[in-house]
C-alpha cells in the first residue's frame, strides 16, 4: 500500500503519549496523530479521547524526508459549527466592561481618577467642520493636537499641585 498525503485511512491506535497517539495504518506503517490533530475541541489529555486498540479514521497530512507519517483525526471530522457571539454584547466584566469613575474633591476642584475623564460633549476641536471633505490625515492631526493639549494640561496641573503643598 502506497501512502499519499491527503489519503483517508482506517488505522488502529497502538500507543498513547502525552503529546499524541501512534496509529498503525498498514502493516509496518504507523504514524503520529499530534494532540492538536485529535479533535476540533481542546484536548488536555489524549486518554480522554482515545484508547489503545481503538480503530480510528485518519488523514495523512504529511510525510517527511525521513519517512515519518503525520496523521490527523480532526481532518476527517465534520467542521465544527461556527462560534456564536455573546447574546448580550457585553465583555467578561459585569457592567459591560465599562469602568465607573467618580470625581474626587481636591482643593475645591473636581479631580478624576487616573485613566478616567468626565463625559464631554463634542467641541469644535473634536468635530471637523467639513466632515465629508476631511481625510484621515486631517482627522488624525486634529486628534493628536487635542490629545497633546489635554496631556500637557494634566501635567501642568500636577506640577502646580506639588508646589502648593
Amino acid at each position: 500500500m502506497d501512502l499519499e498525503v491527503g489519503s483517508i485511512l482506517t488505522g488502529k491506535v497502538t500507543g498513547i503519549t502525552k503529546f499524541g497517539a501512534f496509529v498503525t495504518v498498514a502493516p509496518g506503517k504507523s504514524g503520529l496523530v499530534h494532540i492538536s490533530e485529535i479533535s476540533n475541541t481542546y484536548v488536555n489529555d489524549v486518554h480522554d479521547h482515545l484508547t489503545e486498540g481503538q480503530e480510528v479514521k485518519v488523514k495523512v497530512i504529511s510525510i517527511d524526508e525521513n519517512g515519518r507519517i503525520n496523521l490527523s483525526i480532526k481532518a476527517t471530522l465534520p467542521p465544527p459549527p461556527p462560534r456564536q457571539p455573546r447574546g448580550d454584547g457585553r465583555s467578561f466584566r459585569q457592567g459591560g466592561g465599562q469602568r465607573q469613575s467618580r470625581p474626587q474633591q481636591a482643593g475645591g476642584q473636581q479631580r478624576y481618577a487616573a485613566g478616567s475623564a468626565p463625559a464631554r460633549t463634542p467641541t469644535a476641536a473634536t468635530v471637523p467642520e467639513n466632515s465629508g471633505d476631511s481625510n484621515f490625515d486631517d482627522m488624525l492631526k486634529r486628534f493628536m493636537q487635542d490629545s497633546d493639549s489635554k496631556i500637557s494640561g494634566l501635567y501642568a496641573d500636577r506640577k502646580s499641585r506639588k508646589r502648593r503643598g
Side-chain angles (χ1 to χ4, degrees), residues 21-70:
F22 290 96
V23 177
T24 300
V25 290
K29 298 276 186 179
S30 63
L32 173 69
V33 178
H34 188 265
I35 191 169
S36 64
E37 293 294 330
I38 292 175
S39 175
N40 287 323
T41 60
Y42 177 75
V43 177
N44 188 40
D45 185 8
V46 179
H47 290 93
D48 294 342
H49 295 268
L50 300 172
T51 58
E52 286 192 35
Q54 178 181 355
E55 288 210 359
V56 291
K57 189 188 280 190
V58 294
K59 181 176 183 177
V60 179
I61 54 175
S62 69
I63 301 173
D64 69 8
E65 62 276 353
N66 296 326
R68 293 182 292 204
I69 304 167
N70 293 314

mmCIF file of all heavy atoms in Angstrom, residues 21-70:
data_model
loop_
_atom_site.group_PDB
_atom_site.id
_atom_site.type_symbol
_atom_site.label_atom_id
_atom_site.label_comp_id
_atom_site.label_asym_id
_atom_site.label_seq_id
_atom_site.Cartn_x
_atom_site.Cartn_y
_atom_site.Cartn_z
ATOM 1 N N ALA A 21 -0.882 10.298 19.738
ATOM 2 C CA ALA A 21 -1.110 8.856 19.676
ATOM 3 C C ALA A 21 -0.473 8.298 18.402
ATOM 4 O O ALA A 21 -0.465 8.955 17.361
ATOM 5 C CB ALA A 21 -2.601 8.561 19.681
ATOM 6 N N PHE A 22 0.050 7.081 18.504
ATOM 7 C CA PHE A 22 0.604 6.395 17.345
ATOM 8 C C PHE A 22 -0.471 5.471 16.790
ATOM 9 O O PHE A 22 -1.139 4.755 17.528
ATOM 10 C CB PHE A 22 1.856 5.610 17.740
ATOM 11 C CG PHE A 22 3.015 6.508 18.063
ATOM 12 C CD1 PHE A 22 3.298 6.858 19.373
ATOM 13 C CD2 PHE A 22 3.794 7.035 17.047
ATOM 14 C CE1 PHE A 22 4.345 7.702 19.671
ATOM 15 C CE2 PHE A 22 4.852 7.884 17.335
ATOM 16 C CZ PHE A 22 5.131 8.218 18.645
ATOM 17 N N VAL A 23 -0.631 5.535 15.471
ATOM 18 C CA VAL A 23 -1.669 4.777 14.788
ATOM 19 C C VAL A 23 -1.022 3.970 13.663
ATOM 20 O O VAL A 23 -0.294 4.518 12.830
ATOM 21 C CB VAL A 23 -2.758 5.719 14.212
ATOM 22 C CG1 VAL A 23 -3.803 4.939 13.439
ATOM 23 C CG2 VAL A 23 -3.412 6.527 15.320
ATOM 24 N N THR A 24 -1.298 2.677 13.639
ATOM 25 C CA THR A 24 -0.825 1.814 12.557
ATOM 26 C C THR A 24 -1.866 1.850 11.451
ATOM 27 O O THR A 24 -3.036 1.536 11.667
ATOM 28 C CB THR A 24 -0.625 0.367 13.056
ATOM 29 O OG1 THR A 24 0.346 0.369 14.101
ATOM 30 C CG2 THR A 24 -0.147 -0.533 11.939
ATOM 31 N N VAL A 25 -1.421 2.243 10.242
ATOM 32 C CA VAL A 25 -2.348 2.380 9.118
ATOM 33 C C VAL A 25 -2.178 1.265 8.093
ATOM 34 O O VAL A 25 -3.064 1.041 7.265
ATOM 35 C CB VAL A 25 -2.199 3.764 8.438
ATOM 36 C CG1 VAL A 25 -2.720 4.854 9.338
ATOM 37 C CG2 VAL A 25 -0.770 4.028 8.027
ATOM 38 N N ALA A 26 -1.050 0.577 8.125
ATOM 39 C CA ALA A 26 -0.783 -0.550 7.226
ATOM 40 C C ALA A 26 0.281 -1.412 7.904
ATOM 41 O O ALA A 26 0.983 -0.935 8.795
ATOM 42 C CB ALA A 26 -0.293 -0.043 5.877
ATOM 43 N N PRO A 27 0.413 -2.674 7.515
ATOM 44 C CA PRO A 27 1.459 -3.496 8.134
ATOM 45 C C PRO A 27 2.840 -2.840 7.979
ATOM 46 O O PRO A 27 3.263 -2.507 6.871
ATOM 47 C CB PRO A 27 1.385 -4.813 7.354
ATOM 48 C CG PRO A 27 0.010 -4.846 6.777
ATOM 49 C CD PRO A 27 -0.357 -3.419 6.538
ATOM 50 N N GLY A 28 3.472 -2.555 9.116
ATOM 51 C CA GLY A 28 4.787 -1.922 9.106
ATOM 52 C C GLY A 28 4.761 -0.417 8.911
ATOM 53 O O GLY A 28 5.806 0.219 8.849
ATOM 54 N N LYS A 29 3.597 0.164 8.791
ATOM 55 C CA LYS A 29 3.469 1.620 8.589
ATOM 56 C C LYS A 29 2.625 2.210 9.703
ATOM 57 O O LYS A 29 1.452 1.856 9.874
ATOM 58 C CB LYS A 29 2.794 1.940 7.247
ATOM 59 C CG LYS A 29 3.533 1.478 6.041
ATOM 60 C CD LYS A 29 4.573 2.475 5.646
ATOM 61 C CE LYS A 29 5.201 2.047 4.331
ATOM 62 N NZ LYS A 29 6.195 2.974 3.882
ATOM 63 N N SER A 30 3.239 3.093 10.481
ATOM 64 C CA SER A 30 2.472 3.782 11.519
ATOM 65 C C SER A 30 2.865 5.246 11.516
ATOM 66 O O SER A 30 3.937 5.633 11.031
ATOM 67 C CB SER A 30 2.711 3.157 12.892
ATOM 68 O OG SER A 30 4.051 3.294 13.271
ATOM 69 N N GLY A 31 1.986 6.046 12.064
ATOM 70 C CA GLY A 31 2.219 7.480 12.089
ATOM 71 C C GLY A 31 1.741 8.068 13.393
ATOM 72 O O GLY A 31 1.123 7.399 14.225
ATOM 73 N N LEU A 32 2.023 9.350 13.568
ATOM 74 C CA LEU A 32 1.665 10.059 14.789
ATOM 75 C C LEU A 32 0.489 10.995 14.535
ATOM 76 O O LEU A 32 0.482 11.756 13.559
ATOM 77 C CB LEU A 32 2.851 10.887 15.298
ATOM 78 C CG LEU A 32 2.567 11.815 16.476
ATOM 79 C CD1 LEU A 32 2.306 11.016 17.750
ATOM 80 C CD2 LEU A 32 3.706 12.790 16.690
ATOM 81 N N VAL A 33 -0.493 10.921 15.421
ATOM 82 C CA VAL A 33 -1.574 11.913 15.448
ATOM 83 C C VAL A 33 -1.221 12.838 16.602
ATOM 84 O O VAL A 33 -1.296 12.449 17.766
ATOM 85 C CB VAL A 33 -2.954 11.260 15.684
ATOM 86 C CG1 VAL A 33 -4.031 12.339 15.743
ATOM 87 C CG2 VAL A 33 -3.275 10.251 14.620
ATOM 88 N N HIS A 34 -0.774 14.047 16.276
ATOM 89 C CA HIS A 34 -0.407 15.002 17.320
ATOM 90 C C HIS A 34 -1.649 15.388 18.114
ATOM 91 O O HIS A 34 -2.767 15.372 17.598
ATOM 92 C CB HIS A 34 0.236 16.253 16.692
ATOM 93 C CG HIS A 34 0.817 17.188 17.691
ATOM 94 N ND1 HIS A 34 0.121 18.259 18.186
ATOM 95 C CD2 HIS A 34 2.026 17.196 18.305
ATOM 96 C CE1 HIS A 34 0.880 18.897 19.064
ATOM 97 N NE2 HIS A 34 2.045 18.267 19.150
ATOM 98 N N ILE A 35 -1.458 15.760 19.381
ATOM 99 C CA ILE A 35 -2.574 16.111 20.271
ATOM 100 C C ILE A 35 -3.458 17.202 19.667
ATOM 101 O O ILE A 35 -4.675 17.210 19.863
ATOM 102 C CB ILE A 35 -2.044 16.499 21.663
ATOM 103 C CG1 ILE A 35 -3.178 16.593 22.680
ATOM 104 C CG2 ILE A 35 -1.239 17.776 21.607
ATOM 105 C CD1 ILE A 35 -2.702 16.710 24.124
ATOM 106 N N SER A 36 -2.851 18.107 18.895
ATOM 107 C CA SER A 36 -3.637 19.191 18.286
ATOM 108 C C SER A 36 -4.473 18.712 17.107
ATOM 109 O O SER A 36 -5.324 19.450 16.615
ATOM 110 C CB SER A 36 -2.709 20.317 17.826
ATOM 111 O OG SER A 36 -1.852 19.846 16.798
ATOM 112 N N GLU A 37 -4.239 17.480 16.631
ATOM 113 C CA GLU A 37 -4.964 16.940 15.481
ATOM 114 C C GLU A 37 -5.962 15.855 15.866
ATOM 115 O O GLU A 37 -6.441 15.126 15.020
ATOM 116 C CB GLU A 37 -3.970 16.383 14.460
ATOM 117 C CG GLU A 37 -3.105 17.433 13.800
ATOM 118 C CD GLU A 37 -3.896 18.379 12.915
ATOM 119 O OE1 GLU A 37 -4.929 17.972 12.348
ATOM 120 O OE2 GLU A 37 -3.482 19.546 12.793
ATOM 121 N N ILE A 38 -6.273 15.747 17.171
ATOM 122 C CA ILE A 38 -7.184 14.701 17.631
ATOM 123 C C ILE A 38 -8.643 15.124 17.539
ATOM 124 O O ILE A 38 -9.500 14.351 17.132
ATOM 125 C CB ILE A 38 -6.829 14.255 19.065
ATOM 126 C CG1 ILE A 38 -5.484 13.522 19.035
ATOM 127 C CG2 ILE A 38 -7.919 13.384 19.678
ATOM 128 C CD1 ILE A 38 -4.945 13.130 20.384
ATOM 129 N N SER A 39 -8.939 16.360 17.919
ATOM 130 C CA SER A 39 -10.325 16.803 17.986
ATOM 131 C C SER A 39 -10.450 18.263 17.599
ATOM 132 O O SER A 39 -9.466 19.014 17.638
ATOM 133 C CB SER A 39 -10.848 16.586 19.409
ATOM 134 O OG SER A 39 -12.144 17.113 19.553
ATOM 135 N N ASN A 40 -11.665 18.678 17.267
ATOM 136 C CA ASN A 40 -11.937 20.088 16.987
ATOM 137 C C ASN A 40 -11.976 20.916 18.259
ATOM 138 O O ASN A 40 -11.977 22.142 18.201
ATOM 139 C CB ASN A 40 -13.264 20.243 16.237
ATOM 140 C CG ASN A 40 -13.156 19.783 14.804
ATOM 141 O OD1 ASN A 40 -12.140 19.984 14.150
ATOM 142 N ND2 ASN A 40 -14.195 19.133 14.315
ATOM 143 N N THR A 41 -12.057 20.247 19.409
ATOM 144 C CA THR A 41 -12.074 20.943 20.692
ATOM 145 C C THR A 41 -10.720 20.796 21.360
ATOM 146 O O THR A 41 -9.875 20.020 20.921
ATOM 147 C CB THR A 41 -13.174 20.368 21.616
ATOM 148 O OG1 THR A 41 -12.891 18.985 21.840
ATOM 149 C CG2 THR A 41 -14.552 20.526 21.000
ATOM 150 N N TYR A 42 -10.512 21.526 22.456
ATOM 151 C CA TYR A 42 -9.258 21.472 23.185
ATOM 152 C C TYR A 42 -9.067 20.087 23.802
ATOM 153 O O TYR A 42 -9.982 19.540 24.411
ATOM 154 C CB TYR A 42 -9.230 22.537 24.286
ATOM 155 C CG TYR A 42 -7.982 22.492 25.126
ATOM 156 C CD1 TYR A 42 -6.779 22.966 24.621
ATOM 157 C CD2 TYR A 42 -8.010 21.958 26.400
ATOM 158 C CE1 TYR A 42 -5.632 22.918 25.377
ATOM 159 C CE2 TYR A 42 -6.854 21.911 27.175
ATOM 160 C CZ TYR A 42 -5.670 22.387 26.653
ATOM 161 O OH TYR A 42 -4.529 22.337 27.406
ATOM 162 N N VAL A 43 -7.870 19.519 23.628
ATOM 163 C CA VAL A 43 -7.553 18.201 24.184
ATOM 164 C C VAL A 43 -6.500 18.398 25.263
ATOM 165 O O VAL A 43 -5.358 18.755 24.972
ATOM 166 C CB VAL A 43 -7.025 17.235 23.093
ATOM 167 C CG1 VAL A 43 -6.628 15.903 23.711
ATOM 168 C CG2 VAL A 43 -8.069 17.043 22.012
ATOM 169 N N ASN A 44 -6.887 18.175 26.514
ATOM 170 C CA ASN A 44 -5.953 18.287 27.625
ATOM 171 C C ASN A 44 -5.207 16.980 27.825
ATOM 172 O O ASN A 44 -4.004 16.973 28.054
ATOM 173 C CB ASN A 44 -6.702 18.684 28.909
ATOM 174 C CG ASN A 44 -5.769 18.994 30.037
ATOM 175 O OD1 ASN A 44 -4.734 19.623 29.828
ATOM 176 N ND2 ASN A 44 -6.111 18.551 31.232
ATOM 177 N N ASP A 45 -5.923 15.868 27.736
ATOM 178 C CA ASP A 45 -5.338 14.549 27.932
ATOM 179 C C ASP A 45 -5.805 13.645 26.791
ATOM 180 O O ASP A 45 -7.011 13.491 26.559
ATOM 181 C CB ASP A 45 -5.773 13.974 29.280
ATOM 182 C CG ASP A 45 -5.108 12.663 29.620
ATOM 183 O OD1 ASP A 45 -4.182 12.240 28.890
ATOM 184 O OD2 ASP A 45 -5.507 12.046 30.632
ATOM 185 N N VAL A 46 -4.858 13.032 26.098
ATOM 186 C CA VAL A 46 -5.170 12.170 24.957
ATOM 187 C C VAL A 46 -6.047 11.008 25.382
ATOM 188 O O VAL A 46 -6.940 10.576 24.647
ATOM 189 C CB VAL A 46 -3.866 11.672 24.297
ATOM 190 C CG1 VAL A 46 -4.171 10.751 23.122
ATOM 191 C CG2 VAL A 46 -3.014 12.842 23.841
ATOM 192 N N HIS A 47 -5.849 10.511 26.607
ATOM 193 C CA HIS A 47 -6.627 9.373 27.103
ATOM 194 C C HIS A 47 -8.131 9.678 27.187
ATOM 195 O O HIS A 47 -8.939 8.760 27.203
ATOM 196 C CB HIS A 47 -6.117 8.928 28.476
ATOM 197 C CG HIS A 47 -4.763 8.295 28.407
ATOM 198 N ND1 HIS A 47 -3.606 9.027 28.591
ATOM 199 C CD2 HIS A 47 -4.381 7.013 28.174
ATOM 200 C CE1 HIS A 47 -2.570 8.223 28.482
ATOM 201 N NE2 HIS A 47 -3.010 6.984 28.223
ATOM 202 N N ASP A 48 -8.492 10.953 27.255
ATOM 203 C CA ASP A 48 -9.906 11.330 27.293
ATOM 204 C C ASP A 48 -10.591 11.087 25.946
ATOM 205 O O ASP A 48 -11.819 11.016 25.871
ATOM 206 C CB ASP A 48 -10.070 12.806 27.671
ATOM 207 C CG ASP A 48 -9.631 13.094 29.093
ATOM 208 O OD1 ASP A 48 -9.526 12.147 29.905
ATOM 209 O OD2 ASP A 48 -9.382 14.287 29.400
ATOM 210 N N HIS A 49 -9.808 10.985 24.870
ATOM 211 C CA HIS A 49 -10.381 10.871 23.526
ATOM 212 C C HIS A 49 -10.076 9.538 22.844
ATOM 213 O O HIS A 49 -10.840 9.113 21.980
ATOM 214 C CB HIS A 49 -9.861 12.013 22.646
ATOM 215 C CG HIS A 49 -10.311 13.357 23.102
ATOM 216 N ND1 HIS A 49 -11.441 13.963 22.633
ATOM 217 C CD2 HIS A 49 -9.791 14.216 24.013
ATOM 218 C CE1 HIS A 49 -11.597 15.138 23.218
ATOM 219 N NE2 HIS A 49 -10.606 15.311 24.060
ATOM 220 N N LEU A 50 -8.944 8.926 23.185
ATOM 221 C CA LEU A 50 -8.523 7.697 22.506
ATOM 222 C C LEU A 50 -8.103 6.618 23.503
ATOM 223 O O LEU A 50 -7.677 6.933 24.617
ATOM 224 C CB LEU A 50 -7.334 7.981 21.579
ATOM 225 C CG LEU A 50 -7.549 8.997 20.456
ATOM 226 C CD1 LEU A 50 -6.233 9.303 19.759
ATOM 227 C CD2 LEU A 50 -8.571 8.487 19.456
ATOM 228 N N THR A 51 -8.222 5.363 23.072
ATOM 229 C CA THR A 51 -7.726 4.234 23.874
ATOM 230 C C THR A 51 -6.907 3.329 22.962
ATOM 231 O O THR A 51 -7.141 3.292 21.740
ATOM 232 C CB THR A 51 -8.883 3.414 24.485
ATOM 233 O OG1 THR A 51 -9.721 2.948 23.432
ATOM 234 C CG2 THR A 51 -9.690 4.242 25.467
ATOM 235 N N GLU A 52 -5.954 2.623 23.533
ATOM 236 C CA GLU A 52 -5.148 1.694 22.738
ATOM 237 C C GLU A 52 -6.045 0.593 22.187
ATOM 238 O O GLU A 52 -6.933 0.093 22.868
ATOM 239 C CB GLU A 52 -4.022 1.109 23.581
ATOM 240 C CG GLU A 52 -2.922 2.112 23.828
ATOM 241 C CD GLU A 52 -1.669 1.476 24.415
ATOM 242 O OE1 GLU A 52 -1.358 0.328 24.059
ATOM 243 O OE2 GLU A 52 -1.037 2.150 25.229
ATOM 244 N N GLY A 53 -5.819 0.234 20.920
ATOM 245 C CA GLY A 53 -6.621 -0.787 20.262
ATOM 246 C C GLY A 53 -7.829 -0.225 19.534
ATOM 247 O O GLY A 53 -8.482 -0.935 18.771
ATOM 248 N N GLN A 54 -8.153 1.040 19.753
ATOM 249 C CA GLN A 54 -9.310 1.665 19.109
ATOM 250 C C GLN A 54 -9.033 1.878 17.623
ATOM 251 O O GLN A 54 -7.933 2.262 17.226
ATOM 252 C CB GLN A 54 -9.592 3.014 19.787
ATOM 253 C CG GLN A 54 -10.729 3.801 19.187
ATOM 254 C CD GLN A 54 -10.931 5.142 19.900
ATOM 255 O OE1 GLN A 54 -10.279 5.443 20.893
ATOM 256 N NE2 GLN A 54 -11.826 5.943 19.371
ATOM 257 N N GLU A 55 -10.041 1.612 16.791
ATOM 258 C CA GLU A 55 -9.913 1.883 15.367
ATOM 259 C C GLU A 55 -10.391 3.301 15.095
ATOM 260 O O GLU A 55 -11.447 3.722 15.576
ATOM 261 C CB GLU A 55 -10.719 0.868 14.551
ATOM 262 C CG GLU A 55 -10.092 -0.500 14.559
ATOM 263 C CD GLU A 55 -10.382 -1.279 13.290
ATOM 264 O OE1 GLU A 55 -11.087 -0.771 12.410
ATOM 265 O OE2 GLU A 55 -9.885 -2.405 13.211
ATOM 266 N N VAL A 56 -9.597 4.048 14.333
ATOM 267 C CA VAL A 56 -9.915 5.448 14.046
ATOM 268 C C VAL A 56 -9.709 5.729 12.565
ATOM 269 O O VAL A 56 -8.918 5.072 11.893
ATOM 270 C CB VAL A 56 -9.035 6.413 14.877
ATOM 271 C CG1 VAL A 56 -9.386 6.356 16.341
ATOM 272 C CG2 VAL A 56 -7.559 6.154 14.664
ATOM 273 N N LYS A 57 -10.445 6.701 12.072
ATOM 274 C CA LYS A 57 -10.278 7.166 10.703
ATOM 275 C C LYS A 57 -9.276 8.319 10.748
ATOM 276 O O LYS A 57 -9.426 9.251 11.543
ATOM 277 C CB LYS A 57 -11.616 7.647 10.138
ATOM 278 C CG LYS A 57 -11.569 7.935 8.650
ATOM 279 C CD LYS A 57 -12.840 8.582 8.161
ATOM 280 C CE LYS A 57 -13.928 7.563 7.961
ATOM 281 N NZ LYS A 57 -15.100 8.155 7.266
ATOM 282 N N VAL A 58 -8.230 8.261 9.922
ATOM 283 C CA VAL A 58 -7.185 9.278 9.916
ATOM 284 C C VAL A 58 -6.919 9.760 8.501
ATOM 285 O O VAL A 58 -7.188 9.041 7.526
ATOM 286 C CB VAL A 58 -5.864 8.755 10.540
ATOM 287 C CG1 VAL A 58 -6.027 8.474 12.011
ATOM 288 C CG2 VAL A 58 -5.348 7.546 9.800
ATOM 289 N N LYS A 59 -6.382 10.968 8.425
ATOM 290 C CA LYS A 59 -5.976 11.531 7.136
ATOM 291 C C LYS A 59 -4.474 11.765 7.189
ATOM 292 O O LYS A 59 -3.958 12.285 8.175
ATOM 293 C CB LYS A 59 -6.705 12.850 6.881
ATOM 294 C CG LYS A 59 -6.358 13.495 5.560
ATOM 295 C CD LYS A 59 -7.184 14.752 5.323
ATOM 296 C CE LYS A 59 -6.873 15.347 3.973
ATOM 297 N NZ LYS A 59 -7.715 16.525 3.700
ATOM 298 N N VAL A 60 -3.771 11.399 6.132
ATOM 299 C CA VAL A 60 -2.325 11.622 6.049
ATOM 300 C C VAL A 60 -2.129 13.106 5.715
ATOM 301 O O VAL A 60 -2.551 13.571 4.645
ATOM 302 C CB VAL A 60 -1.675 10.731 4.971
ATOM 303 C CG1 VAL A 60 -0.184 11.010 4.887
ATOM 304 C CG2 VAL A 60 -1.943 9.265 5.246
ATOM 305 N N ILE A 61 -1.508 13.851 6.657
ATOM 306 C CA ILE A 61 -1.318 15.286 6.408
ATOM 307 C C ILE A 61 0.094 15.611 5.938
ATOM 308 O O ILE A 61 0.302 16.623 5.284
ATOM 309 C CB ILE A 61 -1.720 16.146 7.625
ATOM 310 C CG1 ILE A 61 -1.010 15.706 8.898
ATOM 311 C CG2 ILE A 61 -3.207 16.126 7.819
ATOM 312 C CD1 ILE A 61 -1.288 16.616 10.093
ATOM 313 N N SER A 62 1.067 14.744 6.249
ATOM 314 C CA SER A 62 2.402 14.954 5.698
ATOM 315 C C SER A 62 3.254 13.711 5.918
ATOM 316 O O SER A 62 3.003 12.908 6.813
ATOM 317 C CB SER A 62 3.077 16.177 6.326
ATOM 318 O OG SER A 62 3.397 15.932 7.683
ATOM 319 N N ILE A 63 4.263 13.598 5.076
ATOM 320 C CA ILE A 63 5.280 12.559 5.217
ATOM 321 C C ILE A 63 6.609 13.272 5.030
ATOM 322 O O ILE A 63 6.849 13.885 3.979
ATOM 323 C CB ILE A 63 5.115 11.441 4.152
ATOM 324 C CG1 ILE A 63 3.731 10.805 4.274
ATOM 325 C CG2 ILE A 63 6.209 10.400 4.313
ATOM 326 C CD1 ILE A 63 3.398 9.814 3.175
ATOM 327 N N ASP A 64 7.452 13.250 6.065
ATOM 328 C CA ASP A 64 8.714 13.990 5.963
ATOM 329 C C ASP A 64 9.789 13.180 5.250
ATOM 330 O O ASP A 64 9.572 12.025 4.858
ATOM 331 C CB ASP A 64 9.182 14.487 7.332
ATOM 332 C CG ASP A 64 9.628 13.390 8.269
ATOM 333 O OD1 ASP A 64 9.736 12.235 7.847
ATOM 334 O OD2 ASP A 64 9.886 13.707 9.449
ATOM 335 N N GLU A 65 10.961 13.789 5.047
ATOM 336 C CA GLU A 65 12.041 13.153 4.292
ATOM 337 C C GLU A 65 12.581 11.894 4.967
ATOM 338 O O GLU A 65 13.199 11.053 4.331
ATOM 339 C CB GLU A 65 13.182 14.149 4.025
ATOM 340 C CG GLU A 65 13.882 14.697 5.261
ATOM 341 C CD GLU A 65 13.172 15.889 5.881
ATOM 342 O OE1 GLU A 65 12.204 16.410 5.315
ATOM 343 O OE2 GLU A 65 13.603 16.300 6.978
ATOM 344 N N ASN A 66 12.349 11.736 6.272
ATOM 345 C CA ASN A 66 12.778 10.538 6.989
ATOM 346 C C ASN A 66 11.712 9.438 6.976
ATOM 347 O O ASN A 66 11.879 8.409 7.620
ATOM 348 C CB ASN A 66 13.131 10.874 8.442
ATOM 349 C CG ASN A 66 14.316 11.818 8.529
ATOM 350 O OD1 ASN A 66 15.219 11.754 7.699
ATOM 351 N ND2 ASN A 66 14.305 12.700 9.503
ATOM 352 N N GLY A 67 10.603 9.682 6.325
ATOM 353 C CA GLY A 67 9.547 8.687 6.221
ATOM 354 C C GLY A 67 8.549 8.710 7.368
ATOM 355 O O GLY A 67 7.680 7.842 7.450
ATOM 356 N N ARG A 68 8.649 9.706 8.242
ATOM 357 C CA ARG A 68 7.688 9.800 9.358
ATOM 358 C C ARG A 68 6.356 10.314 8.822
ATOM 359 O O ARG A 68 6.310 11.270 8.045
ATOM 360 C CB ARG A 68 8.222 10.713 10.460
ATOM 361 C CG ARG A 68 9.441 10.112 11.150
ATOM 362 C CD ARG A 68 9.918 10.992 12.250
ATOM 363 N NE ARG A 68 10.452 12.218 11.655
ATOM 364 C CZ ARG A 68 11.347 13.013 12.247
ATOM 365 N NH1 ARG A 68 11.790 12.725 13.445
ATOM 366 N NH2 ARG A 68 11.785 14.092 11.634
ATOM 367 N N ILE A 69 5.297 9.684 9.284
ATOM 368 C CA ILE A 69 3.956 9.998 8.789
ATOM 369 C C ILE A 69 3.199 10.787 9.850
ATOM 370 O O ILE A 69 3.104 10.354 11.003
ATOM 371 C CB ILE A 69 3.190 8.692 8.462
ATOM 372 C CG1 ILE A 69 3.984 7.853 7.462
ATOM 373 C CG2 ILE A 69 1.799 9.008 7.929
ATOM 374 C CD1 ILE A 69 3.479 6.433 7.316
ATOM 375 N N ASN A 70 2.689 11.942 9.463
ATOM 376 C CA ASN A 70 1.861 12.758 10.357
ATOM 377 C C ASN A 70 0.412 12.588 9.950
ATOM 378 O O ASN A 70 0.048 12.782 8.793
ATOM 379 C CB ASN A 70 2.271 14.233 10.283
ATOM 380 C CG ASN A 70 3.652 14.457 10.841
ATOM 381 O OD1 ASN A 70 3.986 13.954 11.910
ATOM 382 N ND2 ASN A 70 4.468 15.207 10.118
#
